[in-house]
Structure formats: C-alpha cells, structure tokens
Amino acid sequence: MKANDLLPIGELARRTGLSVSAIRFYEERGLVEALRTSGNQRRFLRGDIRRLSFILIAQRLGLSLAEIEEALAGLPQGRTPNAADWKRISGSIRKRIEDQIASLEKMRDSLDGCIGCGCLSLKKCALYNADDKWGESGTGPRVLR
Amino acid sequence: MKANDLLPIGELARRTGLSVSAIRFYEERGLVEALRTSGNQRRFLRGDIRRLSFILIAQRLGLSLAEIEEALAGLPQGRTPNAADWKRISGSIRKRIEDQIASLEKMRDSLDGCIGCGCLSLKKCALYNADDKWGESGTGPRVLR
DNA sequence: GCTTGACCTCAACTTAGCTTGAGGTTGCAT
DNA sequence: ATGCAACCTCAAGCTAAGTTGAGGTCAAGC
C-alpha cells in the first residue's frame, strides 16, 4: 500500500464494477464526493469503494437513488456506513422485500383463481383489483415495477 | 343498448379508467384500433373495453407494453382475448410471478444472513452476488425493478 | 520533450409510458 | 344557427439512471 490512498476515477470504477460515467453521475447527485488534483482530476478516498458498494447493494434491493441518498444523508457528515448503520438500514429494506413478496403472492393467488375465468371485467375481477397500491402517482411514467 | 355500439374515446376512457391520452397512445402503439367518423373522430367497438382491460391487467402483472403487444399479436387478426387465450397467456404470467417471488426470497434470506455483518465487500458479500440476473442489459436506464 | 491513455466538462440522447399544451375542428343540444 | 364540450393532431416534456460524443487537458513513461 502506497503512501497516499487517493484513487483516480478509473481505479474506483475497476474496483466497484461501476462505469466511470456512473461514478461521475453519482458525484453530481451528491452520493459521493471527490477531492481534486491541481489539474482538476478527481481523487477518491479508499472508503468510497465501500460507499459505492453500499449504493450498488441498496440498488439491487430496489431502492432508488433518491432513497439511497436519504439513507446516506441520515449518517453524520457523509460518513461511510458501518455495520451498525447497516443493521438499522437493512431493517427497513427487509420490510420492503417482505411487502413485495406478499403482494406478489396475493397476485399469484388471484391469478390462480382467475385462470379459466377469463372474465376480465374491471370492477369485478379479483386480479384487477388485487393490489390497489400500484395506482397512479403524479406525473412522469407510471411506476414501472 | 342503442343501435350502434360505437364508443367515443372519452366514453372508453370512463369505462376503463384510462386517460384519453393513454388510449390514444395505445392506438399509436398498435394495441387498439379505432374506426373514424366522417369528421375524423375515433369510434371504438365495445370489445375494446375488454381489450383495454386486458392490457391493464397484464401491465399490473409486470408485462411491458411490448410484451403485451406480442401477446395480443399472437391472436388472429387483433381478436380480443377470450377465456381460452387467457388461460394460455396466464400460464406464462404465473411463471414470471413465481420467479420474482423466488428471487425476492433469496434476497431476503441473504439479507438476513448479512444483518450485523456489514461487510459490504463486493466479491464476497452474498447479498451483492445474490441474484446475478439483475445485471446490465444494453443501453438506456438500468432495468428499474 | 513528447506521446498516449486517462481524465475533464457539457450537452444531448436513451427507454418506457405516458402527460401537457397549443392551436384547431366536430357534433350534439338548444 | 349557435354554443360549447368533446374531439383532433403534433410537438415537447416528464422521470430514472445513466451513456455517448465532442472537444479539450493532464500526467507519467520513455
């Protein structure tokens, strides 16, 4: 391990599997911060590997960048999450997963009851009314699940 | 029931819960077809209520419009799906749901094993490697699950 | 000292599934 | 015959999470 622990962006990309452009994008979003060389090149701390890994994992678990931002913002001064933070955060993530599973199971059961029925009557069809929370919410694309 | 069964777009919107603009969009995508009055206004068949309902239900089950298009294209000459078609189509939908549930359960279990670990070490973390199929796929936004 | 790969910024593009707005026409009831 | 809601067509905009490209700079090895 060399004297200074500062990583250029390409190195960080190789270490995390992210693309360089994605890391720059995250910096723009405020999810990571970077020091700069005199020549304006980014230099990251080793801890940022961990921070980005956290982002990656949280993403896989279905959190949006906005939600991740919020989770990270809950930590004092951009600290990288440690085991204790992780424990706290993972609790709420677990709940999300449970909810999703429950919702899918409900759908599956409705579907089973519906096969061969073919009614497709809105208002009456259990499937159609199975899970009201996927309704509309504001503008933009309808929530892509 | 009046003599002609042709519905103007607003009526169809009210009957299905879709917005007028969404129906026009679906027509553009080729998911529904419309007759036109001499004054160029759309007139839909009653059966299109059912067709649109099918689209709505399929969407809730996680199919994209492209997939729905495909499913509907499998039917001769833009026929509205009946009970038999529905049975066939619902089989593959059920599989999708099962797969999603399985994948979430795997994640939940990994998460449980991970709480308190906090390692967040890529390459080693079971959570990170839990479900490789959520990888990248071409351009555009990463698949939003 | 020079080449070359890694880096920089900024703007525009991507996909999905629509919505919104401008500017104009239709069709039904009175 | 007229008023007015409902309809029409386009074009542009929205969100999310980045990618791609143009045009230019940096830094490290030879």
Side-chain angles (χ1 to χ4, degrees):
Chain A
M1 47 198 102
K2 280 293 173 61
N4 69 3
D5 295 74
L6 298 176
L7 311 171
I9 196 167
E11 182 70 11
L12 191 56
R14 279 198 306 95
R15 300 289 194 92
T16 57
L18 283 165
S19 67
V20 167
S21 66
I23 297 175
R24 283 202 269 251
F25 176 72
Y26 291 160
E27 191 203 14
E28 201 183 330
R29 288 283 310 248
L31 293 169
V32 231
E33 279 175 54
L35 304 169
R36 297 290 181 138
T37 65
S38 58
N40 199 34
Q41 296 199 355
R42 289 173 183 81
R43 289 297 180 265
F44 294 88
L45 299 174
R46 253 154 211 287
D48 289 325
I49 296 177
R50 190 173 251 262
R51 196 179 176 88
L52 290 177
S53 303
F54 173 78
I55 295 173
L56 277 169
I57 290 174
Q59 265 192 311
R60 303 206 148 210
L61 294 174
L63 282 80
S64 67
L65 288 186
E67 289 168 314
I68 295 170
E69 208 168 331
E70 209 179 326
L72 287 174
L75 306 177
Q77 275 305 40
R79 210 182 74 232
T80 291
N82 62 19
D85 299 320
W86 172 239
K87 198 163 188 167
R88 181 172 52 69
I89 293 168
S90 58
S92 72
I93 291 177
R94 192 186 202 287
K95 185 161 181 330
R96 294 173 62 98
I97 295 179
E98 293 288 2
D99 289 350
Q100 278 186 60
I101 291 175
S103 157
L104 283 170
E105 280 172 344
K106 203 163 148 194
M107 261 195 196
R108 182 195 53 196
D109 296 344
S110 301
L111 184 60
D112 284 349
C114 234
I115 289 180
C117 141
C119 64
L120 292 182
S121 154
L122 299 182
K123 313 294 172 356
K124 277 192 310 180
C125 180
L127 235 188
Y128 183 72
N129 296 295
D131 192 8
D132 275 16
K133 68 166 151 272
W134 303 108
E136 47 234 294
S137 60
T139 180
R142 288 202 187 263
V143 51
L144 312 171
R145 37 153 290 93
Chain B
M1 44 195 105
K2 279 292 172 63
N4 69 3
D5 295 75
L6 297 176
L7 312 170
I9 196 167
E11 182 69 13
L12 190 55
R14 279 197 306 95
R15 299 290 194 93
T16 56
L18 284 165
S19 66
V20 167
S21 65
I23 297 174
R24 284 203 269 250
F25 175 72
Y26 291 159
E27 191 204 14
E28 201 183 330
R29 290 281 312 247
L31 292 168
V32 232
E33 278 174 53
L35 304 169
R36 298 288 182 139
T37 64
S38 58
N40 198 34
Q41 297 199 355
R42 290 172 182 84
R43 288 299 179 263
F44 294 87
L45 299 174
R46 251 151 215 288
D48 289 326
I49 296 176
R50 189 175 252 260
R51 194 177 177 89
L52 289 177
S53 303
F54 173 77
I55 294 172
L56 277 169
I57 292 174
Q59 265 192 309
R60 301 204 149 212
L61 292 174
L63 281 79
S64 66
L65 289 187
E67 290 169 313
I68 295 170
E69 210 168 329
E70 208 180 328
L72 288 174
L75 306 177
Q77 276 304 40
R79 210 183 74 233
T80 291
N82 62 20
D85 300 318
W86 172 238
K87 199 164 189 168
R88 180 171 53 70
I89 293 169
S90 58
S92 71
I93 291 176
R94 192 186 201 287
K95 184 157 183 333
R96 294 174 64 98
I97 295 179
E98 294 288 3
D99 289 350
Q100 278 186 60
I101 291 176
S103 158
L104 283 170
E105 280 171 346
K106 203 163 147 196
M107 260 193 197
R108 182 196 52 197
D109 295 345
S110 301
L111 184 60
D112 284 350
C114 233
I115 289 179
C117 140
C119 65
L120 292 184
S121 154
L122 300 182
K123 313 290 175 342
K124 277 193 310 180
C125 180
L127 235 188
Y128 184 71
N129 295 295
D131 192 9
D132 275 16
K133 68 164 153 274
W134 302 107
E136 47 233 292
S137 59
T139 180
R142 288 202 188 263
V143 50
L144 312 170
R145 34 151 292 95

